[in-house]
Amino acid sequence: MSKVVHHAHHKIADKPKQENRKKGRDAALLILVAAFLTGAAVGCILAGKLAPSNLGNLLQQALSSQTRPALWRELWAVFRWPMAALILGCLPMAWLTLPGVFFLRGMFLGYVVQIVARGVASHGFLWAGVLFGPTCLLAVPIFFVIGYLGLLRAAAQTPGRAQLLLGSAVCCGPLALCIFLDRTVVLNLLDILLASLVSA
C-alpha cells in the first residue's frame, strides 16, 4: 500500500515538471516560427522596394538561359541552412543565434519568392512554386526540425548533443531527395513553363 501511495505521489510531483517541459518546447517552436515569418515578411517588403524596373525581362532571360547547376552548388544550396542550424545548436548562445539564422532564412526565401512572383506576370506564383517547391516542402521543415532540437538543447531540455547529431543525420535522406528533385523534376517543369511562355 505504501508503495502505491509513494508511486502516486511521485506521479503528482512530476506532473508540473512535465507541463513546464511541454511549455518550454512550445515556446521554442513559437520563437523559431515567429523569427522565420518575420524574416519572410521583411524579405517581401525588400523585394517590393528594391526590385529593378525591368525585373520581368531580367528574370525571363535568366530562366531561359538556365543550365543544370553543378552538384556542389546544389549541395551547398540545400545543406547550408540545416548545417548552420546544427552548428549553432551545438554552440553556446544558441537561444540567440538560432532565431537570428531563422530570421535570415525567412528573409532570403521571402525575397526570392516575391521577386519571382513579381517578375513573371500572372504566372509568377506558378514559377515560384516550381522553383522553390522541393525547398519549401522538404528542406525548410528539416531546417525547422534541426533548429528546434538545437533550441531545446540550449534550453537545457532534451535532446543532448548526441541525439541532436543523430537526428540531423537522419535528415540527410530527405535533403538528398530535395537535391534529386531540383536536378530532375524542377528542370523538366521549367522547360515546360518556358515553352508555354515563349508560345504565349
Side-chain angles (χ1 to χ4, degrees), residues 73-97:
R73 289 184 179 274
E74 287 279 356
L75 289 170
W76 169 249
V78 171
F79 277 88
R80 58 183 173 178
W81 293 105
M83 283 298 297
L86 173 61
I87 293 170
L88 293 175
C90 293
L91 295 176
M93 303 289 289
W95 57 272
L96 181 62
T97 55

Side-chain angles (χ1 to χ4, degrees), residues 144-176:
F144 266 89
V145 169
I146 297 174
Y148 174 68
L149 294 176
L151 204 58
L152 289 181
R153 179 187 171 278
Q157 300 195 36
T158 55
R161 180 174 296 183
Q163 292 172 303
L164 174 59
L165 293 174
L166 178 61
S168 301
V170 171
C171 293
C172 289
L175 291 176

Side-chain angles (χ1 to χ4, degrees), residues 68 74 78 134 174-186:
R68 184 184 298 270
E74 287 279 356
V78 171
L175 291 176
L177 176 61
C178 182
I179 294 174
F180 173 76
L181 293 175
D182 274 336
R183 295 178 65 83
T184 55
V185 177
V186 169

Side-chain angles (χ1 to χ4, degrees), residues 182-193:
D182 274 336
R183 295 178 65 83
T184 55
V185 177
V186 169
L187 290 179
N188 291 331
L189 288 176
L190 284 178
D191 288 339
I192 295 173
L193 288 176

Side-chain angles (χ1 to χ4, degrees), residues 2-87:
S2 61
K3 290 183 178 180
V4 174
V5 173
H6 178 73
H7 181 67
H9 178 74
H10 184 68
K11 290 184 65 176
I12 293 173
D14 284 345
K15 190 172 182 181
K17 294 181 180 179
Q18 294 174 357
E19 292 178 353
N20 290 336
R21 191 177 295 115
K22 183 179 183 301
K23 289 179 181 178
R25 291 177 177 176
D26 293 343
L29 183 59
L30 183 61
I31 289 171
L32 296 181
V33 170
F36 185 86
L37 293 180
T38 303
V42 171
C44 291
I45 294 171
L46 290 177
K49 293 183 176 295
L50 302 179
S53 57
N54 59 340
L55 172 62
N57 293 333
L58 291 174
L59 189 59
Q60 289 183 28
Q61 290 174 7
L63 291 172
S64 62
S65 62
Q66 183 183 16
T67 57
R68 184 184 298 270
L71 180 59
W72 70 268
R73 289 184 179 274
E74 287 279 356
L75 289 170
W76 169 249
V78 171
F79 277 88
R80 58 183 173 178
W81 293 105
M83 283 298 297
L86 173 61
I87 293 170

